[in-house]
Amino acid sequence: MGIFQHKKPEVKKTPQEEASDAVVNYIDETFKDELRTFGRSYFEKIINDTGALFQQDLNTTIGQVNVQLQDHVTKQLDVAIAQVNVELKDRVAKQLEGQFTEYNNEMKQAQEVALKTLTENSEQLQAEYQDLRTTLQKNVADQKVTLTNVFEENKVRIAEMKEAQDMALKSLNDSAQALKDQYAQINATLEKNVADQQQVLVSAFEDNMGRIIEHYLLGALGDQYDLKAQLPSIIHQMEENKQAIVDDMKL
Amino acid sequence: MTETEIKTHENFTLPASLVTKIDVSRLVSEVERVDNEMTASAVRAKAGSGEQTQPMLSDQLSEFLHQNNLTLENSIERSNLIKELRLLKDKAPVLHMTFSVTADVESLQKLTDWVRTTVHPQAVIAVGLQPALVAGVYLRTPNHVHDLSVRGALQGRHGLLVEELESLRGSK
């Protein structure tokens, strides 16, 4: 209200009017906004719940549809497979039968051919056997004759060889005996020579040992005595040889 | 010189100190020297230049003269002596004695004494040295050899040593 404006006179209202004015005053923009907000949020909530329920239903439906579809497809597939199996079995059996028949025929043919070939080979072998037998018998007979001749010849030769062996053995024995005698003789001579050599060596050793001992004594005693100590001995020895010395001086 | 005995080289008495022929030669030389000196001295005395002096004589000569009763007064005596001594030097019998050690004078004189007493009165000794003898003497006379050394004894008994070795060998 402005400064220069006059307060309007207050009009009395009915309770209804007062109520509607209260309502109008109560329902202002703020309230509207709040209502709007509330309505929005409630709507969103409703929508969300509905959506969740819908989704749930949808999922359930889809699950059911899936299961049903799966069953249906499985059934269809089983039927198809059974059918295919039967058809395939028939076809394969027919094919195999055909092939077996063919193989049997061919095997029979091959067996006949093999039998024929074997028979021919067997006859051929028999013929060859006969030939070989004949030849072998002939050869054996020939060999028998040859061996008999050779045996007879060898018998004579063996007898001669035996005779020669006996003579050689006798000669060897004689030689062995002669060698034995010679050996004994040589042995005796050798022993005698060895004994003689031994004696000679021992004698030479003893002689040399004597000389060594003399040499040692001479070396050891060389400088021990002067002439004064030797004089009595020298004079004594000269006395013993006095006559010889005197006779020699007189000559 | 006394005329009781005419001394010749055959009956000279040689002193013990006269051992070898060299000693005799030395004696001869000395007598000749004395003779020359005395002759010269006599001539000088006659000429009136001085008195006749007596020459110096060695102990060996003095001993020799004493043992043989000889003097050197007379020149004839001296000449005879020289002559006889020369004969002695040539004819004296020689004993070659080889020792194992060097002979000392005293031992040699004793040996000479024995030789002249036992073997020959005019004998002289020729001394040799052979250490290999060990001991004893190797005596050589004009016609013989006497090996009186230890070496000779060992050689002479060589057979005994060999016998001993043989018996030792046999006992083992």
Side-chain angles (χ1 to χ4, degrees), chain A residues 34-53:
Chain A
E34 283 180 7
L35 276 175
R36 242 187 250 121
T37 307
F38 179 75
R40 196 179 292 129
S41 67
Y42 186 73
F43 183 70
E44 281 177 5
K45 181 172 171 279
I46 295 291
I47 292 293
N48 285 339
D49 288 339
T50 308
L53 283 170

Side-chain angles (χ1 to χ4, degrees), chain A residues 50-239:
Chain A
T50 308
L53 283 170
F54 181 67
Q55 193 165 0
Q56 195 174 355
D57 287 340
L58 191 63
N59 287 338
T60 308
T61 306
I62 287 170
Q64 281 175 358
V65 165
N66 274 342
V67 166
Q68 283 172 7
L69 193 62
Q70 205 168 352
D71 289 338
H72 180 73
V73 166
T74 306
K75 276 181 194 165
Q76 289 293 324
L77 209 56
D78 287 338
V79 167
I81 286 169
Q83 202 174 353
V84 163
N85 273 343
V86 165
E87 284 176 9
L88 200 62
K89 207 185 274 184
D90 291 339
R91 194 177 291 178
V92 166
K94 277 181 194 166
Q95 277 183 356
L96 283 174
E97 209 177 302
Q99 278 183 357
F100 281 147
T101 312
E102 205 178 311
Y103 288 156
N104 278 339
N105 292 337
E106 281 182 9
M107 264 182 72
K108 272 183 193 167
Q109 282 175 10
Q111 274 177 357
E112 282 168 10
V113 166
L115 194 63
K116 192 175 165 191
T117 311
L118 272 172
T119 312
E120 283 172 9
N121 283 342
S122 166
E123 285 169 4
Q124 199 176 352
L125 277 170
Q126 203 162 359
E128 281 178 10
Y129 167 72
Q130 287 295 335
D131 290 339
L132 282 172
R133 191 179 162 192
T134 312
T135 311
L136 189 65
Q137 278 175 347
K138 184 168 171 281
N139 284 341
V140 164
D142 292 341
Q143 286 295 324
K144 197 175 174 182
V145 167
T146 311
L147 282 171
T148 309
N149 292 339
V150 165
F151 173 71
E152 289 300 323
E153 280 172 20
N154 282 339
K155 206 170 156 183
V156 168
R157 252 187 239 165
I158 285 166
E160 284 171 7
M161 212 184 290
K162 195 167 177 242
E163 225 178 276
Q165 268 181 357
D166 289 338
M167 279 179 63
L169 199 65
K170 183 170 175 299
S171 159
L172 272 171
N173 284 337
D174 292 340
S175 301
Q177 187 58 37
L179 271 171
K180 218 173 170 180
D181 295 337
Q182 204 175 7
Y183 170 74
Q185 204 176 357
I186 288 169
N187 212 19
T189 311
L190 195 65
E191 279 176 4
K192 183 172 173 300
N193 282 345
V194 164
D196 291 342
Q197 280 292 318
Q198 194 178 355
Q199 190 55 37
V200 163
L201 286 170
V202 166
S203 303
F205 168 75
E206 284 168 354
D207 193 42
N208 285 332
M209 182 56 84
R211 286 182 205 285
I212 289 166
I213 291 170
E214 283 163 16
H215 188 73
Y216 162 72
L217 282 172
L218 293 173
L221 298 172
D223 299 325
Q224 300 296 318
Y225 311 106
D226 64 356
L227 193 57
K228 275 190 189 152
Q230 297 173 37
L231 201 56
S233 159
I234 289 168
I235 290 174
H236 175 72
Q237 282 183 314
M238 285 172 74
E239 280 282 354

